[in-house]
Amino acid sequence: MTNQTEFLQTDTENKPMSASVTLKNPKVIIPADNPFANCKLGREAYAEVLTNIVENYAEGFVLALNSEWGSGKTTFVEMWQKHLELQDFKTIYFNAWENDLESDPLIALISEMKSIAGDSNNDKFKKVIKNAAPLTKTVIKGLAKGVIERYAGDGFVGDLAMAATDQSIKIFEKKVELYTKQKKGIKEFHDSLVDFVKSENAENKPIVFFIDEMDRCRPDYAVELLEKIKHLFDIPGIVFVLSIDKEQLKHAICGVYGSGEINSEEYLRRFIDVEYSLPEPDKEKYIDFLFEFYRFEELVRPFIHFQADDREIINLKKTASILFSKENVILRQQEKIIARTRLIINSYNRKERIFPEFLLFMIYIKTFQPELYISIKFKILPRREVQTKIDDLLSEFLSLDSQITLLNIEAQSYFSMARIFKREIVFIYGLKKKKRY
């Protein structure tokens, strides 16, 4: 049985060659001196555009970097951050998803700012912390609790009808006092933060504060994070970069406020000054990267029916390109489909005859046409009907550039269907299981 977390190495004659490769998302190495050296998607040009925007609007603003989940936003953000640091920008990175266990985003945001506080500005940063303390959720809740306990007692159950009028007035006065103190506290926090940011800004370059994975954290945490940034950190000298999937974030907002209660698009406009959508990457370049990362050439060459040249790899790449162009296949889905294809091929004996394009096609069907996949897996439909459905699906991809590749898949599918209906071949997340009748 093939291990799902790594490929086992073996030197036996009939087993696949050594191919220990992780099945997790490929982690791109980001050299500090050339952050985009290993970028296979040609995204350095986008970083240059965004850097120019940051430089021209150094007084500060909120930038939303919008792209679907799984499209490589985090990798781009990490590369751009290093790119900015090479140009003497001070940057901060905060992963909202990893930190949403903290109930108050303000504490997390202030804590992250400590990373840029130099020794000479330590006193100014301490002042920021001091002025932030009265604004945190914990302190405010504690004050409110103290007011209630003072006038209602520890064992207060809630019989408001018995409350005296003068006590109600005093409670109201305390709330007004608390509001006044909080308003004053916000101004003091702003002033101390402005002073700290000015002291940290080099050559009039703003601090760039990256907030990543906002669309994946708790909905209430994401909304509160937005509101804290707007109301407490809206000062000159800080550029906030929000890495988001806008549609998912809009769903989170509706979940917090109720879909019928708020226009999430308009709500976001209150917080975001500039929106930049990452352009779709070149699919061929990304497929080339995945084939290199998963070492497909090394994998397929040992099979005795493969040609000595690279035609099999070229055909497999063409198949992936055609399939991924049909659906809105995000980068992470592409990576998982390619990874599973590799795992299945690696599980075969080298003397077995396999059809890699058809295997890739079947994993594509499993991902995007699960009902068709199940009908094949459990032989729910007759062979002829299954083949017709496969032919119909292939015809949707038909173009002058793809005809030869699709005909090749179709030919492989006829042969494979014959084998499937003679013996069951089940593929479940890369595991191959055979049962003879």
Side-chain angles (χ1 to χ4, degrees):
M1 181 178 292
T2 306
N3 190 306
Q4 292 188 61
T5 57
E6 75 172 339
F7 298 109
L8 302 179
Q9 299 186 17
T10 177
D11 294 322
T12 58
E13 180 183 359
N14 296 325
K15 291 293 181 183
M17 293 180 65
S18 170
S20 180
V21 178
T22 179
L23 286 183
K24 295 183 178 180
N25 297 327
K27 182 67 176 176
V28 179
I29 297 172
I30 305 175
D33 59 341
N34 188 5
F36 286 90
N38 296 322
C39 178
K40 305 298 183 181
L41 305 179
R43 285 178 164 174
E44 185 172 9
Y46 311 145
E48 294 286 359
V49 170
L50 293 170
T51 300
N52 188 50
I53 294 173
V54 170
E55 286 179 328
N56 288 331
Y57 297 93
E59 72 274 9
F61 60 95
V62 177
L63 166 69
L65 189 64
N66 178 39
S67 189
E68 284 185 310
W69 178 83
S71 61
K73 290 193 301 297
T74 293
T75 300
F76 175 76
V77 162
E78 291 173 351
M79 288 180 174
W80 184 28
Q81 182 184 15
K82 297 295 183 186
H83 178 83
L84 286 168
E85 289 172 354
L86 285 175
Q87 300 183 45
D88 297 323
F89 283 90
K90 290 193 174 182
T91 67
I92 304 168
Y93 177 85
F94 175 69
N95 189 308
W97 184 48
E98 290 179 355
N99 293 279
D100 66 354
L101 289 176
E102 169 58 54
S103 61
D104 192 346
L106 178 59
I107 295 173
L109 292 174
I110 294 294
S111 299
E112 294 296 337
M113 294 192 75
K114 187 177 181 181
S115 65
I116 63 167
D119 293 337
S120 60
N121 293 324
N122 195 42
D123 290 340
K124 291 181 179 180
F125 184 69
K126 285 182 178 178
K127 190 174 180 181
V128 172
I129 294 176
K130 178 183 176 182
N131 290 327
L135 306 178
T136 61
K137 194 184 297 184
T138 305
V139 174
I140 292 171
K141 282 182 177 178
L143 288 172
K145 182 175 181 288
V147 170
I148 293 172
E149 288 183 349
R150 178 177 174 183
Y151 290 100
D154 291 332
F156 179 62
V157 177
D159 190 359
L160 294 178
M162 301 296 293
T165 303
D166 60 336
Q167 287 182 335
S168 299
I169 293 172
K170 288 179 180 179
I171 291 174
F172 181 75
E173 288 174 347
K174 277 290 179 182
K175 288 184 177 181
V176 170
E177 182 183 343
L178 180 62
Y179 169 79
T180 304
K181 286 182 178 180
Q182 187 176 348
K183 188 175 180 180
K184 181 183 177 184
I186 290 173
K187 185 179 185 311
E188 290 174 346
F189 172 74
H190 271 160
D191 291 344
S192 60
L193 188 60
V194 167
D195 190 35
F196 170 72
V197 168
K198 278 183 179 179
S199 66
E200 291 294 338
N201 280 352
E203 301 177 3
N204 199 34
K205 292 179 182 287
I207 295 169
V208 183
F209 202 138
F210 292 94
I211 311 289
D212 197 12
E213 305 277 24
M214 282 193 68
D215 45 6
R216 297 181 69 189
C217 63
R218 286 193 341 260
D220 60 321
Y221 189 82
V223 169
E224 191 166 355
L225 191 54
L226 278 173
E227 294 178 348
K228 285 287 194 294
I229 291 170
K230 179 65 176 177
H231 299 304
L232 299 181
F233 289 83
D234 186 15
I235 64 167
I238 299 183
V239 172
F240 278 94
V241 178
L242 312 180
S243 177
I244 63 172
D245 180 337
K246 188 176 178 181
E247 290 304 312
Q248 292 302 317
L249 189 55
K250 284 163 63 177
H251 291 320
I253 293 165
C254 289
V256 172
Y257 288 107
S259 57
E261 303 293 330
I262 190 169
N263 183 324
S264 57
E265 184 75 32
E266 290 298 324
Y267 177 87
L268 281 175
R269 284 178 186 166
R270 293 163 45 197
F271 301 97
I272 296 170
D273 300 304
V274 179
E275 182 179 327
Y276 184 87
S277 295
L278 275 178
E280 282 289 314
D282 185 299
K283 282 188 170 61
E284 279 70 23
K285 287 183 180 179
Y286 189 61
I287 290 169
D288 286 343
F289 162 68
L290 290 176
F291 272 65
E292 180 183 344
F293 177 82
Y294 287 111
R295 293 152 54 185
F296 265 84
E297 185 173 352
E298 175 187 345
L299 175 70
V300 301
R301 284 194 180 280
F303 289 94
I304 59 175
H305 63 281
F306 278 78
Q307 301 293 330
D309 57 28
D310 296 326
R311 277 180 288 174
E312 292 290 351
I313 289 292
I314 292 171
N315 288 339
L316 195 54
K317 285 183 179 180
K318 283 183 178 178
T319 301
S321 179
I322 292 166
L323 294 176
F324 296 162
S325 64
K326 174 64 171 60
E327 298 279 352
N328 185 22
V329 185
I330 62 175
L331 300 187
R332 195 157 296 177
Q333 287 174 323
Q334 294 179 38
E335 185 272 326
K336 289 188 180 298
I337 290 171
I338 296 295
R340 289 171 183 171
T341 302
R342 189 201 195 287
L343 179 58
I344 292 171
I345 294 175
N346 194 67
S347 70
Y348 274 90
N349 184 301
R350 280 190 290 170
K351 290 186 176 181
E352 290 187 88
R353 183 167 182 80
I354 65 171
F355 300 100
E357 292 100 315
F358 183 68
L359 288 175
L360 177 63
F361 180 60
M362 287 298 293
I363 296 169
Y364 174 89
I365 290 176
K366 186 178 190 298
T367 305
F368 295 105
Q369 303 277 345
E371 291 183 2
L372 177 57
Y373 175 81
I374 290 171
S375 69
I376 296 171
K377 176 180 175 180
F378 294 108
K379 295 187 288 187
I380 296 171
L381 301 175
R383 172 188 165 186
R384 188 178 299 276
E385 189 172 343
V386 170
Q387 189 64 58
T388 299
K389 287 182 176 293
I390 290 175
D391 293 345
D392 290 342
L393 183 59
L394 287 171
S395 68
E396 296 179 14
F397 297 92
L398 203 57
S399 68
L400 290 175
D401 293 333
S402 62
Q403 281 184 4
I404 295 175
T405 301
L406 292 174
L407 286 172
N408 191 31
I409 298 174
E410 189 170 21
Q412 292 181 11
S413 73
Y414 277 103
F415 188 84
S416 298
M417 285 300 104
R419 292 173 61 185
I420 288 173
F421 278 82
K422 285 183 179 178
R423 61 178 184 173
E424 184 181 4
I425 302 177
V426 181
F427 297 107
I428 303 176
Y429 297 103
L431 300 181
K432 186 184 67 176
K433 177 183 175 183
K434 300 181 181 179
K435 179 182 177 183
R436 293 191 177 276
Y437 290 101

